């Protein structure tokens, strides 16, 4: 055989070997899918960033981050089912409708796909369908929101704003607020504040925005108009402040009441659009979560579980309390 033919054969075999190695590497790549409640939300991009960073760190993992563009519980359930049908190596679920999502999680478990929940957990009776929950202790989050109200107001009227009524994480926050203002322990479970410890909820409250930012901002305006003597407004998420101009229009006329703390306003979340509003004194506290950490920490237990390992039943990602004084300096750096 001539030298040119020998070199040609050698190069061909080398290329074939490289090609086979690449195919083998792709075949061994594990796909972990994170299904979120709604992508059109400031909370969503940091979760995706954390998911992708964890996948990159592991090296042999692909992060597939999906969810409905607008809040749509049925669409989210369908997307999760698609991932189970596809046969992903692991599944992370933030359940907009926990009961409906439990059915999909059962399908995944039957197929041997590891499942974890993050941000929003399933109902207690379905906890056995997932290996762990990653995120905030949502009841304690509600407690923290209420404690900031109590730092300035000992009694009065309070209106709570939440997102989707069926969302278990938000229900837990609302419960934490009510119990703390009422001065009772978690096992007592106040359904509505009707004078307990001096606190009441006015007619029409809580308000639910179903993750609709425009509606959330309008609700703030309506609540303030309909309740001119309101003592406190507590939002368990940042929705209304994601429409900063509309929020300003609703709250600027109340600036004197805010400055004197005749009206105390506390918001969940501490994303970019919210912080100038806090710095301007249009809210008193913003308590943020750590969505990047949620995305990152959801991938890590899926990695362990896919290899036959075990994980803790609750992986807590923590919170951050922001004030007008630190709103534009140190606050929110983790979230943003």
């Amino acid at each position: 055989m001539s030298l040119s033919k020998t070199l040609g054969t050698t190069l061909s075999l080398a290329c074939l070997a490289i090609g086979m190695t690449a195919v083998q590497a792709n075949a061994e790549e594990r796909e972990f899918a994170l299904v979120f409640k709604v992508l059109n939300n400031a909370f969503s991009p940091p979760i995706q960033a954390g998911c992708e960073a964890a996948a990159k760190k592991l090296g042999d993992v692909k992060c597939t981050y999906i969810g409905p563009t607008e809040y749509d519980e049925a669409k989210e359930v369908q997307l999760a089912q698609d991932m189970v049908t596809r046969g992903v190596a692991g599944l992370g679920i933030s359940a907009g409708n926990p009961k409906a999502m439990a059915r999909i999680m059962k399908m995944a478990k039957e197929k041997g796909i590891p499942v974890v929940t993050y941000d929003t957990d399933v109902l207690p009776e379905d906890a056995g369908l997932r290996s762990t929950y990653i995120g905030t202790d949502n009841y304690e989050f509600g407690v923290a929101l209420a404690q900031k109200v109590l730092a300035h107001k000992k009694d009065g009227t309070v209106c709570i704003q939440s997102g989707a009524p069926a969302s278990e994480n938000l229900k837990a926050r609302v419960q934490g607020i009510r119990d703390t203002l009422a001065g009772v322990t978690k096992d007592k479970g106040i359904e509505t504040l009707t004078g307990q410890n001096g606190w009441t909820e006015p007619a029409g409250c809580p308000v639910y925005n179903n993750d609709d930012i425009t509606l959330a901002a309008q609700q703030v305006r309506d609540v303030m108009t309909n309740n001119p003597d309101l003592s406190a407004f507590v939002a368990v998420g940042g929705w209304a402040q994601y429409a900063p101009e509309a929020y300003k229009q609703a709250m600027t006329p109340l600036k004197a009441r805010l400055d004197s703390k005749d009206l105390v306003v506390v918001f969940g979340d501490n994303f970019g659009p919210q912080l100038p509003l806090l710095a301007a004194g249009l809210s008193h506290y913003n308590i943020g979560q750590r969505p990047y950490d949620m995305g990152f920490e959801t991938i890590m237990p899926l990695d362990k579980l896919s290899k036959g390992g075990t994980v803790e039943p609750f992986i807590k990602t923590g919170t951050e309390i922001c004030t007008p004084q630190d709103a534009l300096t140190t606050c929110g750096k983790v979230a943003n």
Side-chain angles (χ1 to χ4, degrees):
M1 184 181 292
S2 67
L3 179 60
S4 61
K5 286 185 177 180
T6 302
L7 287 172
T9 302
T10 302
L11 287 171
S12 296
L13 289 171
C15 289
L16 179 61
I18 292 170
M20 289 178 66
T21 302
V23 170
Q24 185 178 15
N26 287 335
E28 291 175 354
E29 184 179 62
R30 293 167 296 152
E31 181 183 16
F32 295 154
L34 268 61
V35 185
F36 193 56
K37 294 173 292 186
V38 55
L39 300 186
N40 184 22
N41 184 306
F43 206 72
S44 180
I47 295 176
Q48 181 174 5
C51 175
E52 291 173 348
K56 184 177 180 180
K57 179 177 180 178
L58 292 170
D60 64 340
V61 167
K62 174 186 176 184
C63 163
T64 297
Y65 183 75
I66 58 171
T69 304
E70 303 293 337
Y71 189 83
D72 186 331
E73 293 175 358
K75 178 66 173 176
E76 188 198 10
V77 170
Q78 182 60 56
L79 289 169
Q81 184 171 333
D82 291 346
M83 292 299 102
V84 174
T85 302
R86 188 150 122 187
V88 293
L91 187 62
I93 295 289
S94 177
N97 186 322
K99 200 63 190 172
M101 197 60 81
R103 178 175 59 84
I104 308 304
M105 293 166 65
K106 184 178 180 182
M107 290 171 55
K109 189 171 184 179
E110 289 170 351
K111 289 189 67 172
I113 299 173
V115 180
V116 303
T117 54
Y118 68 98
D119 176 57
T120 306
D121 203 2
V122 287
L123 298 171
E125 58 263 33
D126 295 319
L129 297 174
R130 48 77 168 156
S131 296
T132 186
Y133 164 69
I134 301 105
T136 307
D137 183 321
N138 286 292
Y139 183 86
E140 289 302 319
F141 190 80
V143 169
L145 291 167
Q147 285 174 339
K148 291 305 176 187
V149 172
L150 290 172
H152 303 288
K153 304 290 266 188
K154 299 306 178 187
D155 53 34
T157 55
V158 58
C159 189
I160 301 169
Q161 183 179 59
S162 189
S167 183
E168 286 300 303
N169 65 327
L170 302 183
K171 286 164 69 174
R173 294 177 198 179
V174 172
Q175 194 64 57
I177 293 168
R178 284 174 169 155
D179 292 352
T180 303
L181 293 180
V184 302
T185 54
K186 186 177 181 179
D187 58 301
K188 301 298 181 181
I190 299 297
E191 289 188 14
T192 305
L193 292 165
T194 57
Q196 300 92 333
N197 204 30
W199 285 98
T200 60
E201 296 175 69
C205 292
V207 289
Y208 296 95
N209 57 58
N210 284 309
D211 284 347
D212 184 323
I213 292 169
T214 302
L215 175 60
Q218 183 61 49
Q219 286 174 341
V220 171
R221 179 186 290 274
D222 292 345
V223 166
M224 298 305 165
T225 301
N226 296 334
N227 302 277
D229 298 320
L230 190 72
S231 305
F233 182 84
V234 186
V236 301
W239 306 279
Q241 292 185 327
Y242 301 153
E245 292 308 314
Y247 181 80
K248 283 180 189 176
Q249 290 175 14
M251 299 303 289
T252 299
L254 304 173
K255 190 64 166 60
R257 293 193 66 211
L258 292 166
D259 288 346
S260 67
K261 297 185 178 61
D262 181 49
L263 169 64
V264 177
V265 176
V266 184
F267 264 81
D269 296 342
N270 59 343
F271 292 105
Q274 299 177 272
L275 300 180
L277 301 172
L278 177 62
L282 296 179
S283 63
H284 296 101
Y285 300 95
N286 280 61
I287 301 182
Q289 302 176 81
R290 301 189 184 276
Y292 178 92
D293 291 351
M294 287 185 196
F296 192 94
E297 294 298 339
T298 298
I299 291 295
M300 291 309 181
L302 286 175
D303 174 52
K304 289 182 180 178
L305 292 165
S306 71
K307 296 174 179 176
T310 58
V311 296
E312 294 295 319
F314 180 19
I315 300 171
K316 195 179 293 190
T317 51
T319 58
E320 178 184 22
I321 297 173
C322 301
T323 67
Q325 291 71 38
D326 63 21
L328 300 181
T329 54
T330 59
C331 175
K333 300 306 180 186
V334 174
N336 298 310

